[in-house]
Structures are given as C-alpha cells and as structure tokens.
Amino acid sequence: MTEVDRGEWMQTFSGVKFFMRDPRPEDLRIEDIAHALSMICRFGGHVRRTYSVAEHSVRVSECVDELGGTPDEAFWGLMHDAAEAYVGD
C-alpha cells in the first residue's frame, strides 16, 4: 500500500509526526499537549515570572470547578488552549 503524502509535519515531544494540514485524532497525545503548553509562556513572555499556558489552563479549570461547573465543563476549561500546542496562539 502506498503512503499518502500528508504534507509537512512536525515531530511532537513523544515522537509522533503531526501533520498540520491533515491532523488526525490518532496523532494527538495528551502528554504532547501538556508538555508543549508547559513550555509556552503567556503574554509573549512579558511577565515577572514564568506563567505558562499549562498553568493558566489548570487555573481556568479550577475556577470552573469552584464556580460549580460540571466535570465536563472543568475539562473544557483545562483544554481550552490545547490547540496552542500545535498551532500557537
């Protein structure tokens, strides 16, 4: 079977090939999202201390939970910036 050309790709932290123009669910790994977001500083780095997108996402999830959100809503709070792991802000 011939491999279909999926275009340009980037290698994720876990070693997966992620094709920007042909993303597939099986190419996504929660550990890649968590790692990448932990390495991205919010506000373009204009902060007094490192404030990562991952920390921000956890704080949003905690706020949703504290405000009485459902577990699904808290999960969406956690994942609201997940795409930044692959395409930036």
Side-chain angles (χ1 to χ4, degrees):
M1 181 175 193
T2 305
E3 185 175 323
V4 176
D5 181 9
R6 295 175 62 195
E8 300 295 322
W9 57 274
M10 67 181 216
Q11 184 171 328
T12 66
F13 178 70
S14 70
V16 171
K17 287 184 179 180
F18 182 80
F19 294 85
M20 301 293 283
R21 294 187 179 180
D22 188 18
R24 297 180 182 174
E26 62 267 21
D27 297 335
L28 302 175
R29 304 280 188 283
I30 192 67
E31 60 267 29
D32 287 332
I33 294 169
H35 175 80
L37 296 184
S38 75
M39 302 298 286
I40 300 169
C41 190
R42 297 265 303 165
F43 309 115
H46 297 279
V47 292
R48 295 192 186 278
R49 68 163 186 86
T50 302
Y51 181 52
S52 71
V53 175
E55 179 181 350
H56 163 73
S57 296
V58 168
R59 288 175 181 248
V60 168
S61 181
E62 290 172 342
C63 285
V64 169
D65 184 56
E66 289 171 8
L67 292 170
T70 66
D72 280 345
E73 291 168 332
F75 176 75
W76 283 111
L78 181 66
M79 299 303 290
H80 79 279
D81 280 335
E84 289 186 37
Y86 299 96
V87 295
D89 193 7

